[in-house]
Amino acid sequence: MRGRGAALEGTTAMQDHAAVPTVIAPVKVKDLPAFLAAVEPIARDLAAGDILAALARHADGLIAATAIGAGVERAWLEQQDADVLVDLAARVVEVNADFFVRRVLPAITQAAERLAAMPTGSGGTSGSPGSSTQASATAM
């Protein structure tokens, strides 16, 4: 199974760049806001597995997301050849896709289903923490 901590496979381009990371780990919570902001505009292309289309349409977001996901400085990545960017981006997607597809999307779907199943009150505060106390006080 691919995923957590998957090793980067060496390619000729990667071997020419000694500082390229050899392991890509899943994105950490502290990096999620910046990673998701960078990925959002390119998500459709990435979901289709078309990294070259993502690069053509959203190069800035792809560079940012790849740097965050690979744990490298953006300035360093910007100095590399395009094949390094494409190779790292593919590995970042590969490692993190499993996490998002198997963990995040089902959790979001379940939460949305629970919210949709909740009864809605006319005031909209029937489930808030002080509402039962206030309702009891006014009923006395």
Side-chain angles (χ1 to χ4, degrees):
M1 178 175 126
R2 292 186 174 140
R4 201 165 178 80
L8 292 173
E9 297 173 18
T11 65
T12 304
M14 297 297 284
Q15 292 170 356
D16 292 341
H17 302 277
V20 173
T22 57
V23 174
I24 302 290
V27 173
K28 301 292 183 205
V29 171
K30 69 181 181 78
D31 296 323
L32 274 177
F35 182 77
L36 293 174
V39 167
E40 191 273 328
I42 57 178
R44 284 192 187 108
D45 293 329
L46 292 178
D50 195 349
I51 293 171
L52 292 178
L55 179 59
R57 294 184 191 124
H58 311 285
D60 190 60
L62 182 64
I63 293 166
T66 301
I68 293 165
V72 299
E73 293 294 322
R74 181 183 174 130
W76 173 86
L77 185 56
E78 289 173 342
Q79 298 302 312
Q80 304 307 308
D81 294 335
D83 58 339
V84 173
L85 172 63
V86 171
D87 198 41
L88 280 177
R91 285 167 170 72
V92 167
V93 169
E94 181 180 355
V95 168
N96 288 286
D98 183 58
F99 169 73
F100 282 101
V101 169
R102 293 179 191 251
R103 303 280 248 184
V104 175
L105 291 178
I108 290 171
T109 301
Q110 288 174 355
E113 288 170 355
R114 284 193 303 269
L115 287 173
M118 290 177 66
T120 56
S122 59
T125 58
S126 60
S128 63
S131 61
S132 61
T133 305
Q134 185 170 348
S136 324
T138 56
M140 292 182 175

